[in-house]
Amino acid sequence: MANIITTSILVILFSLSAAEATTKLYSVNGHDGMSASPLVAIDGICKSMVETQGYVCEEHTVTTQDGYILSLQRIPVGHSGKKPDKPPVLLQHGLLMDAITWLMNSPDESLAFILADNGFDVWLANTRGTNYSRGHISLSPSDPAYWNWSWDELVTYDLPASFQYVHNQTGQKLHYVGHSLGTLIAFAAFSQEKLLNMLRSAALLCPIAYMGQMPSPLARSAAETFIAEDLYWLGVNEFAPRGEAVAKLLEVICSKPGNNCTDLITALTVIRGGTIAMYDYGSEDENNKHYKRSTPPVYDMSSIPNDLPLFLSYGGQDMLSDVNDVQTLLDSLVDHDADKLVVQYRDDYAHADFVMAVNAKQVVYDPLMAFFKLQ
């Protein structure tokens, strides 16, 4: 069976994953940041989200080695118009989101604007299949073959393409910020010692490298019953969290005993094993064809170079980046150079707070920028 987005589906009910006191829902000009289709604006992110706030913005595209055309947005200067005096920063969004993740609050509360105003050259990535990265050299999103990929392709193609493009455009090594899925693909790449020649440091918010102890029964139910495959046969390729098919599917899942739909949920097949592995083709024969072994290879977090500067920030209320799983990650980094690893814990923060909380600048972004300035 085609591997669609099947290694990483389903739902980030972002509004339900936020600490109530600190996060506000996003809505601008009638557009909802969670919606899949209304945001496909002809004008693009620059005109609809950045220039409206008085910032200069550039639209860029890069083509991956397997033919997907990705969009990137660049905020080359801050609100003052002063030329940046700090290195480029690439921001990578999480599951089922796009670059608007970093622009959802006001300019003094959104990381992309904050970085630009502090002298960084800001670049926003959009992975394949998202609202602003639907292009391909030969395929259309209406073609099922367009969706025949998993998050492994984000590691192998999308992330390297974005890194290389920013590096080529700026002539500098870059800082990286990932949230949720953006941390997952970064950990996988770094564990294989990819991208390091273009990287200054990485800030990983809600780090996901192990998922064996996720507390949400709903997330486990989704993963263990292969909801991704169910979505494929339903014909749901371009996932719309508020679409009719998904609503019906969630109704069934949420009716099962023990499932609490107020939890933040996702359905990553990695949950089934607890560790990050490459795509599982579903049979020993198929895995042997692709990997020359019966099970998919595991991404080994202990292989991340010990001298790579890392800033890890996680929260006590996060139902996806569980504190116990983060501890497993930290255990795998036990030999990391002490002066190259900063770990921040915020007990009251949930998954969405790291990109949407109104106090995130003080709590997360100021320490993050201080870390970047040392690298």
Side-chain angles (χ1 to χ4, degrees):
M1 182 172 117
N3 54 336
I4 315 305
I5 301 183
T6 56
T7 339
S8 53
I9 42 163
L10 196 80
V11 194
I12 291 188
L13 299 177
F14 242 34
S15 63
L16 298 178
S17 69
E20 183 176 351
T22 56
T23 300
K24 59 186 179 184
L25 301 185
Y26 162 66
S27 178
V28 58
N29 296 332
H31 294 322
D32 185 327
M34 267 30 103
S35 175
S37 55
L39 280 172
V40 186
I42 296 175
D43 288 340
I45 289 177
C46 276
K47 287 192 177 297
S48 64
M49 296 295 297
V50 181
E51 293 175 4
T52 56
Q53 300 294 335
Y55 288 79
V56 175
C57 188
E58 303 169 1
E59 293 280 357
H60 295 255
T61 60
V62 61
T63 302
T64 66
Q65 289 188 354
D66 61 342
Y68 287 80
I69 302 171
L70 312 179
S71 77
L72 297 96
Q73 290 75 41
R74 182 187 194 182
I75 308 176
V77 296
H79 200 270
S80 68
K82 181 182 177 182
K83 184 177 179 180
D85 56 2
K86 298 180 181 66
V89 182
L90 177 65
L91 306 182
Q92 176 62 60
H93 60 80
L95 184 67
L96 304 178
M97 298 296 286
D98 56 30
I100 287 177
T101 293
W102 310 105
L103 305 164
M104 292 191 291
N105 284 350
S106 63
D108 58 352
E109 295 171 346
S110 298
L111 181 57
F113 295 127
I114 291 169
L115 287 169
D117 285 336
N118 278 271
F120 291 94
D121 182 3
V122 179
W123 293 78
L124 309 176
N126 298 269
T127 58
R128 64 183 64 191
T130 54
N131 294 329
Y132 298 95
S133 290
R134 294 180 178 178
H136 191 278
I137 58 174
S138 61
L139 299 173
S140 164
S142 62
D143 185 340
Y146 174 92
W147 301 99
N148 190 17
W149 50 269
S150 73
W151 69 271
D152 286 334
E153 279 71 28
L154 306 186
V155 177
T156 303
Y157 300 113
D158 288 28
L159 196 61
S162 297
F163 258 74
Q164 190 67 60
Y165 187 84
V166 173
H167 183 260
N168 290 348
Q169 289 290 310
T170 64
Q172 299 183 64
K173 290 186 176 183
L174 52 134
H175 297 296
Y176 175 83
V177 181
H179 176 247
S180 187
L181 176 67
T183 74
L184 178 71
I185 61 178
F187 280 130
F190 301 159
S191 72
Q192 296 182 328
E193 299 193 9
K194 295 178 179 178
L195 311 177
L196 301 180
N197 62 321
M198 296 179 283
L199 180 66
R200 288 177 180 268
S201 70
L204 305 172
L205 312 179
C206 307
I208 297 175
Y210 298 92
M211 299 187 75
Q213 301 180 74
M214 178 189 287
S216 169
L218 179 56
R220 290 191 171 279
S221 177
E224 291 166 1
T225 55
F226 291 80
I227 296 304
E229 287 85 342
D230 292 343
L231 284 177
Y232 172 61
W233 291 115
L234 283 171
V236 181
N237 292 328
E238 185 173 9
F239 183 81
R242 297 183 181 180
E244 181 179 356
V246 173
K248 291 180 178 178
L249 185 60
L250 288 178
E251 183 178 350
V252 173
I253 297 171
C254 295
S255 68
K256 293 183 178 182
N259 283 348
N260 178 2
C261 288
T262 61
D263 283 345
L264 163 70
I265 64 171
T266 186
L268 296 166
T269 58
V270 70
I271 298 171
R272 284 170 271 182
T275 57
I276 297 180
M278 295 183 183
Y279 181 76
D280 189 340
Y281 286 88
S283 73
E284 292 186 3
D285 288 344
E286 285 300 312
N287 285 331
N288 276 317
K289 287 179 184 178
H290 289 86
Y291 304 124
K292 296 183 170 51
R293 49 181 288 175
S294 61
T295 58
V298 172
Y299 291 106
D300 182 4
M301 296 301 106
S302 65
S303 296
I304 295 173
N306 292 335
D307 60 352
L308 174 62
L310 295 175
F311 177 96
L312 307 180
S313 186
Y314 67 111
Q317 307 304 310
D318 195 330
M319 293 295 173
L320 180 55
S321 179
D322 178 73
V323 292
N324 294 313
D325 287 323
V326 174
Q327 186 56 55
T328 302
L329 167 64
L330 296 176
D331 290 344
S332 73
L333 299 175
V334 65
D335 294 326
H336 209 84
D337 294 354
D339 62 342
K340 298 295 183 181
L341 178 62
V342 173
V343 179
Q344 181 192 59
Y345 173 73
R346 179 79 180 193
D347 183 67
D348 62 337
Y349 258 42
H351 203 70
D353 289 316
F354 289 86
V355 294
M356 295 177 69
V358 295
N359 68 345
K361 179 183 185 298
Q362 294 76 27
V363 172
V364 180
Y365 305 156
D366 285 345
L368 181 155
M369 288 187 293
F371 170 79
F372 280 167
K373 291 173 184 177
L374 294 175
Q375 310 309 320

